[in-house]
Amino acid sequence: MPEQRKIVTAAPENSETPLDQVRGWVTPNSLFFVRNHFNPPALDPAAWRLRIDGCVERSIEWSFDDLLGLPERTVFATVECAGNGRSFLGPRVPGVPWGAGAVGHAEWTGVPLRLLLERCGLKAGALEVLFEGADQGTEPDHPEPMPFARSLPLPKALHPDTLLATRMNGELLNQAHGAPLRLFVPGWYGVASVKWLKRIEVLDKPFRGYFQTKKYTTQRDTEHGRITIIVGPMAVKSEIIRPKAGDLLGVGTNRVVGLAWAGEEAVAKVDVSTDGGRSWSKAELMGPQAAYSWTLWEYLWENAEPGTYSLLARTTSTGGRMQPMEYDALNLGYQIDFCRPIPVRVAAATRTYAEIGNLDALLFDINAYAEENVRMPLDVDAQYSAGGGI
Ligand SMILES: Nc1nc2c(c(=O)[nH]1)N[C@H]1C(S)=C(S)[C@@H](COP(=O)(O)O)O[C@H]1N2
Ligand SMILES: [Mo]
């Protein structure tokens, strides 16, 4: 099978990481999911400039080469789109109908945003930092063209791991992932990490843009009524990548493999259930277990008897947060973090068909069966005749 992203929409590209092919900790750039609201702009790094202005002592402009010459920092981190898994929700919600693969894990390298903000000098009253991409377009409920823009609260903007990323897995950013420069906010949903950066502005009041307050928000009921929350840190989540929903497994021992992540925290534990959540067993965590990063895990399911089963995985973070069993409808089609059952069948292995429609294999079996049933009496006949009769 060719290794490539799974296209959800072709233009602009929205595509998934092929999770069933994940075998390592880091997702190769060519397989790393892409989420584009508008057509990706082609920016010439030689002509490109980044300017920081707004609530600062001095506004400064950098060329791409200037930025490459500044001290770098590298962070391994998982990025998930806040709408990842939306197609599994019922009732259906509007938005890109993602399967499970709007998530990936990479090594991100760049200049800490803090360093540039310190060079500009923040004025008293600085509250948020606004990031504007060079891409623009319209949405059905916003017919006026607008750029893709998001803001970060000052504490996260000043966190030493928040980067202006130039590289992904050691390579200069490619166009799909935001070349030449993108913001990278580890532990937060992908929407925070603005691609194709054009402009940064320090604000003294909250940003109210379309992708900040109209989209990418959830709701919560409080004693003061229902409030709107801007999507930020990623939730605790797991994904079973092998077997796949609908797979036919053999009797005996089967290997269940998956991924788990916990936003700004590390994964502490993954539990697996083969009986729809009645009982749980601890999965084995494989490889690094680090803040921001996903962890691979495996569970050896022993003594599986013929039948139909519902597999579940549930992650707990180092801070003690646990994945919920049900989806919270107030999440409005974002933050899809519930434990999703994966139905599988276990049967004694006779012959399995790669696909139900494999007629050649089916005909082969029917013929083999017919031949078997015809041959026996023929053999007996032959024996009688060879034996010279009774
Ligand atoms: N300029 C710009 N930045 C953007 C977006 C976009 O459409 N335009 N999409 C955001 C969303 S919703 C996600 S999930 C991530 C996806 O990053 P990727 O395409 O590199 O995987 O980019 C974010 N940054
Ligand atoms: Mo996203």
Side-chain angles (χ1 to χ4, degrees):
M1 204 196 284
E3 295 218 331
Q4 51 193 19
R5 294 194 281 259
K6 290 191 206 164
I7 299 295
V8 180
T9 68
E13 178 180 345
N14 283 290
S15 58
E16 296 184 23
T17 306
L19 287 191
D20 50 341
Q21 291 166 35
V22 167
R23 283 191 158 67
W25 196 49
V26 162
T27 312
N29 295 349
S30 60
L31 299 185
F32 200 102
F33 86 97
V34 170
R35 172 55 175 126
N36 292 339
H37 291 80
F38 309 129
N39 286 327
L43 304 174
D44 171 11
W48 177 93
R49 296 287 181 274
L50 176 75
R51 188 175 189 81
I52 300 188
D53 54 24
C55 200
V56 289
E57 300 293 348
R58 42 197 167 265
S59 65
I60 305 183
E61 200 174 83
W62 287 268
S63 72
F64 189 58
D65 278 347
D66 292 339
L67 293 176
L68 287 179
L70 292 175
E72 281 179 349
R73 189 177 180 92
T74 281
V75 173
F76 283 88
T78 298
V79 188
E80 186 187 14
C81 179
N84 187 30
R86 186 177 286 138
S87 67
F88 305 122
L89 295 179
R92 275 200 59 143
V93 289
V96 177
W98 294 110
V103 60
H105 178 255
E107 182 204 43
W108 305 91
T109 301
V111 187
L113 171 66
R114 183 191 183 108
L115 199 129
L116 302 196
L117 290 176
E118 278 171 353
R119 290 200 177 179
C120 294
L122 295 176
K123 276 194 179 153
L127 183 72
E128 293 188 353
V129 184
L130 172 67
F131 304 87
E132 197 179 291
D135 53 333
Q136 46 176 293
T138 61
E139 289 281 331
D141 56 351
H142 196 293
E144 288 297 305
M146 60 181 155
F148 184 88
R150 286 273 306 189
S151 76
L152 270 188
L154 202 57
K156 190 67 178 172
L158 290 174
H159 192 288
D161 292 337
T162 297
L163 304 178
L164 294 171
T166 51
R167 293 177 187 275
M168 185 176 175
N169 293 329
E171 289 170 19
L172 288 177
L173 282 180
N174 60 40
Q175 194 198 3
H177 293 115
L181 191 82
R182 80 180 294 172
L183 176 65
F184 187 72
V185 187
W188 281 40
Y189 282 108
V191 66
S193 294
V194 177
K195 302 193 276 189
W196 310 295
L197 269 184
K198 186 178 158 190
R199 196 170 77 82
I200 297 179
E201 185 184 341
V202 178
L203 304 178
D204 58 5
K205 45 178 140 356
F207 176 59
R208 309 277 311 159
Y210 181 88
F211 296 102
Q212 190 87 13
T213 56
K214 273 236 169 7
K215 295 284 157 83
Y216 294 96
T217 61
T218 61
Q219 296 183 321
R220 285 294 174 269
D221 285 326
T222 69
E223 55 199 83
H224 313 293
R226 189 161 285 184
I227 58 162
T228 294
I229 296 172
I230 296 163
V231 158
M234 282 158 51
V236 176
K237 188 165 167 179
S238 60
E239 203 55 65
I240 295 173
I241 58 175
R242 289 187 290 278
K244 296 204 293 271
D247 274 0
L248 176 60
L249 310 182
V251 167
T253 301
N254 287 290
R255 187 170 180 248
V256 182
V257 181
L259 300 163
W261 57 94
E264 293 170 326
E265 295 183 86
V267 168
K269 154 173 109 102
V270 176
D271 294 299
V272 172
S273 174
T274 57
D275 56 12
R278 275 186 291 280
S279 63
W280 297 88
S281 309
K282 223 171 144 182
E284 206 64 50
L285 303 183
M286 301 189 284
Q289 288 127 52
Y292 307 137
S293 284
W294 72 17
T295 295
L296 285 124
W297 55 263
E298 68 173 340
Y299 171 67
L300 285 185
W301 176 19
E302 292 176 328
N303 303 317
E305 307 259 344
T308 56
Y309 295 87
S310 178
L311 307 182
L312 289 167
R314 190 173 56 182
T315 301
T316 306
S317 73
T318 45
R321 290 186 299 153
M322 195 189 263
Q323 230 185 310
M325 291 299 287
E326 302 290 336
Y327 182 63
D328 187 338
L330 288 182
N331 285 359
L332 309 177
Y334 299 109
Q335 199 174 311
I336 302 150
D337 55 352
F338 71 108
C339 301
R340 177 166 45 87
I342 302 296
V344 295
R345 202 155 63 83
V346 172
T350 45
R351 185 188 185 83
T352 58
Y353 297 103
E355 36 185 299
I356 284 292
N358 189 340
L359 278 180
D360 283 346
L362 193 61
L363 278 174
F364 178 87
D365 270 15
I366 290 171
N367 286 331
Y369 178 83
E371 209 181 304
E372 199 69 21
N373 284 284
V374 177
R375 201 173 346 117
M376 282 209 313
L378 278 180
D379 283 348
V380 172
D381 283 348
Q383 241 178 34
Y384 280 137
S385 50
I390 311 163

